[in-house]
Amino acid sequence: MLDAQLVLDAAFLPALLIAVLAGILSFLSPCVLPIVPPYLAFMGGVSVSDMQGGTSKARGKVVLAAVFFVLGLSTVFLLMGISASALGRALGPYQDWLTKAAAVIIMIFGAHFIGIFRIGFMDREARFNTGDTGGSALGAYVLGLAFAFGWTPCLGPILGAILSVAASGNDIGRGVGLLAAYAIGLGIPFLLVAAFFPSLQGVMRWMKRHMGRIEKISGLLLWTVGLMMLTGQFTDFSYWLLDTFPGLAAIG
């Protein structure tokens, strides 16, 4: 029989990939995607027209601001990962129950996105007033912190799912890894838009037109992950990964 630690290691890889995808889906959510261009322009101290023009000076300012913005939101998400993992470690004796509870929560979040029912407070976001902090790296970092905190209710279904997975384990390092992967998935699109905004405007308009479909895909992903956790299929998938890719046994 395969060592339980190897199964856990293999299970961590698909969890990381899911966390990255969850971050991307969060970027595409209705409360994030529409505000990306004006947010980036404000943080860079330029106008949206300057971004559309694609001048090297405007692009440099916006990319620098985007980097510090992503660092700010990543700081908050990493702290969340530490907290969720610490909670999971404290509740170690109840790990099986915690995993099942996390699975049910994830499935509820998935149903919210699919549209089976709506969770009211998750359709709202609290926006913090950080003052006139545009045009500076420090200001962009502060806005990143505010974004991570202020948009948490809106990002709640997806972010909550990743936090639930982090809490269902008892390893702080892996919990931090999951939230880092989520931050990467959410942050890289910000950087891409900052660097290539003129070329991506058509893609962003297409995404806005298909926002409902994107939400349903997000919900289906969450519901499937929750079901796999609840039925133990995540572990079965881990065995399959180890049998198919033996090199994964070296991870961890």
Side-chain angles (χ1 to χ4, degrees), residues 23-252:
I24 295 172
L25 291 174
S26 291
F27 176 84
L28 299 177
S29 66
C31 58
V32 176
L33 184 62
I35 58 90
V36 170
Y39 242 63
L40 289 174
F42 172 72
M43 290 187 298
V46 302
S47 66
V48 175
S49 297
D50 292 332
M51 289 178 57
Q52 291 172 332
T55 63
S56 57
K57 183 178 180 180
R59 180 179 299 178
K61 288 182 176 180
V62 173
V63 169
L64 179 63
V67 169
F68 279 89
F69 175 79
V70 170
L71 288 175
L73 63 87
S74 297
T75 299
V76 175
F77 292 146
L78 291 179
L79 291 175
M80 288 181 177
I82 293 173
S83 300
S85 300
L87 176 62
R89 174 173 289 187
L91 298 176
Y94 308 98
Q95 203 59 236
D96 290 342
W97 287 102
L98 187 60
T99 299
K100 287 181 171 56
V104 171
I105 292 172
I106 292 172
M107 293 178 72
I108 291 173
F109 288 159
H112 164 86
F113 264 138
I114 293 171
I116 296 176
F117 54 80
R118 302 298 294 184
I119 304 174
F121 77 91
M122 289 184 177
D123 287 324
R124 302 191 297 270
E125 69 270 5
R127 307 190 185 191
F128 293 148
N129 181 10
T130 57
D132 186 9
T133 55
S136 71
L138 177 60
Y141 181 79
V142 172
L143 282 172
L145 296 174
F147 181 94
F149 280 117
W151 263 258
T152 295
C154 186
L155 300 177
I158 295 180
L159 177 57
I162 301 302
L163 287 171
S164 297
V165 175
S168 66
N170 59 4
D171 189 312
I172 291 180
R174 297 187 183 211
V176 170
L178 284 174
L179 270 295
Y182 176 79
I184 289 172
L186 179 59
I188 285 180
F190 273 101
L191 299 178
L192 291 176
V193 173
F196 306 106
F197 180 68
S199 303
L200 294 177
Q201 291 183 82
V203 175
M204 294 181 69
R205 284 193 292 268
W206 181 88
M207 289 177 176
K208 290 178 183 178
R209 289 196 302 269
H210 295 84
M211 196 68 71
R213 188 173 300 175
I214 292 172
E215 274 202 307
K216 286 181 171 56
I217 292 173
S218 304
L220 183 61
L221 171 67
L222 292 177
W223 196 88
T224 301
V225 170
L227 182 63
M228 289 179 68
M229 291 177 61
L230 188 64
T231 60
Q233 290 181 356
F234 223 80
T235 300
D236 294 338
F237 185 46
S238 302
Y239 277 107
W240 177 84
L241 280 176
L242 284 172
D243 289 338
T244 308
F245 306 102
L248 289 175
I251 300 175

